[in-house]
Amino acid sequence: MDALATLLDGPRARGAFLLRSVLTPPWAVKVADLAPLTLVHMVRGDAWIRTDDGQARSLSCGGIAVIRGPEPYVVAGDRNTEPQIVIRPGQVSTDVDGNELCEQMDLGVRTWGDDPDGAHGAGSGAGEEAALSAVMISGTYQMRGEISSRLLSALPQVLVLAPDAWSSPLPALLSEEIVRDEPGQEVVLDRLLDLLLIAVLRTWFARSEAKAPAWYAAQSDPVVGPALRLLHDDPAHPWTVADLAARTGVSRAALGRRFTDLVGEPPMAYLTGWRLALAADLLREPDATIASVARRVGYGSPFALSAAFKRVRGLSPQQHRERIAAAASS
């Protein structure tokens, strides 16, 4: 498994929030839900995504945006339209004064907005056209995991893929599935969202403007790439630089220099960071003990994991777990 595949295995949707929005111009929605990652697909109409730093990105019909949280942003049909709707934590929608709109704007299965017909007629005379409502699908990952944080740190706050920049059947499939109300549909939508995210990020990282992180570029190196895959495939193995060098067919010194030059840190430091990222993610599971997590990420005892965790992250595994619980309850 390559480095990108392993990192993309982290943000796996579990009950993701998916919504089809139908909004009549002029429209603008401020998103302040604190979510770590959201995908937005414009099914009909165009939009602008504005961030608090004053930047604005155009999202044309058929395009997809990936927006990294938790900073707020505005999605609007026009660059200058002020928000009329606010999406708050817990995916609660209100007007700008805080009055709830969830029930008022409910349009059926995972559909929400102010136009029940999906369009708003401008007239029926000759030469007159309907002013169609915008339709967009948003998929929101609602939990921040430590592995996905490693990936999210490599992303800009907003990335946009124009419809002519890639080709995939996934957006159309998601459009069909999001309005179905069948047994197990939430799981189907979770997996579709995961696949769409992977497809978008794979396309994005292949582009020159993506400024891919060092670990992504290094995976194509004939020496460092195989070493990274070995570490990601089996982090619990008692790896040494000598072992990795033997597996990749170079000397210890050559592997150490090349790995550090391309990845930005020595192999064993990278392995420690990866193991602790895995451990932090596994500690989110309520039934996982510190001992079981230690075994899965390559530490011989709970004490060894705790010592490494506190040395690198500044808190113990138990304190990390308590912080997660406190954040979830708030």
Side-chain angles (χ1 to χ4, degrees):
M1 184 180 291
D2 60 49
L4 178 61
T6 311
L7 287 171
L8 287 174
D9 192 48
R12 180 171 295 161
R14 299 178 180 90
F17 183 79
L18 287 108
L19 188 69
R20 178 177 178 267
S21 300
V22 184
L23 298 167
T24 305
W27 62 273
V29 179
K30 180 175 182 179
V31 182
D33 59 1
L34 304 180
L37 189 73
T38 297
L39 278 78
V40 175
H41 170 47
M42 290 305 300
V43 179
R44 186 170 69 205
D46 301 328
W48 287 86
I49 301 172
R50 307 195 307 258
T51 51
D52 278 0
D53 60 3
Q55 299 294 313
R57 297 292 306 274
S58 173
L59 180 61
S60 58
C61 181
I64 290 185
V66 176
I67 307 164
R68 174 174 53 82
E71 293 79 9
Y73 56 93
V74 173
V75 185
D78 180 85
R79 186 167 187 162
N80 299 312
T81 303
E82 289 300 314
Q84 309 102 353
I85 300 167
V86 180
I87 308 299
R88 304 182 187 276
Q91 303 303 325
V92 175
S93 58
T94 72
D95 62 20
V96 293
D97 296 322
N99 302 305
E100 284 201 26
L101 300 172
C102 297
E103 291 187 11
Q104 176 183 335
M105 300 184 73
D106 184 4
L107 298 179
V109 179
R110 300 183 195 87
T111 302
W112 172 92
D114 60 5
D115 188 354
D117 299 322
H120 130 145
S124 56
E128 292 181 305
E129 296 181 355
L132 296 179
S133 299
V135 178
M136 65 179 176
I137 292 175
S138 53
T140 300
Y141 288 82
Q142 301 187 83
M143 293 185 63
R144 180 180 294 276
E146 290 296 327
I147 300 177
S148 60
S149 295
R150 193 180 181 108
L151 172 64
L152 293 174
S153 66
L155 300 176
Q157 186 179 358
V158 180
L159 70 85
V160 173
L161 283 185
D164 58 357
W166 74 314
S167 178
S168 171
L170 291 169
L173 184 56
L174 183 60
S175 296
E176 293 178 8
E177 292 290 338
I178 196 169
V179 293
R180 292 188 177 179
D181 188 14
E182 299 181 7
Q185 192 67 10
E186 289 78 9
V187 177
V188 172
L189 292 172
D190 280 351
R191 298 292 76 78
L192 278 176
L193 182 61
D194 291 338
L195 290 171
L196 184 57
L197 174 64
I198 291 169
V200 169
L201 293 185
R202 187 167 58 184
T203 301
W204 169 254
F205 279 126
R207 298 165 68 93
S208 57
E209 69 266 34
K211 297 180 181 178
W215 54 260
Y216 182 83
Q219 69 179 338
S220 62
D221 183 81
V223 173
V224 178
L228 280 168
R229 285 189 285 276
L230 287 168
L231 296 178
H232 281 258
D233 282 347
D234 191 4
H237 184 82
W239 294 108
T240 63
V241 177
D243 194 6
L244 285 171
R247 300 280 194 99
T248 54
V250 296
S251 69
R252 286 186 298 172
L255 175 63
R257 284 195 304 269
R258 194 169 186 85
F259 196 105
T260 303
D261 288 345
L262 294 181
V263 178
E265 58 185 338
M268 294 300 101
Y270 181 88
L271 176 60
T272 296
W274 178 240
R275 282 173 168 170
L276 295 180
L278 281 170
D281 196 43
L282 291 169
L283 287 166
R284 292 175 174 270
E285 302 295 334
D287 295 333
T289 64
I290 295 176
S292 67
V293 171
R295 288 193 299 272
R296 291 178 64 179
V297 300
Y299 286 92
S301 68
F303 176 80
L305 172 61
S306 297
F309 206 96
K310 191 164 188 177
R311 182 179 70 252
V312 174
R313 293 175 172 262
L315 72 171
S316 70
Q318 184 59 37
Q319 290 170 327
H320 170 76
R321 176 171 270 171
E322 290 169 355
R323 180 177 294 183
I324 292 169
S329 63
S330 65

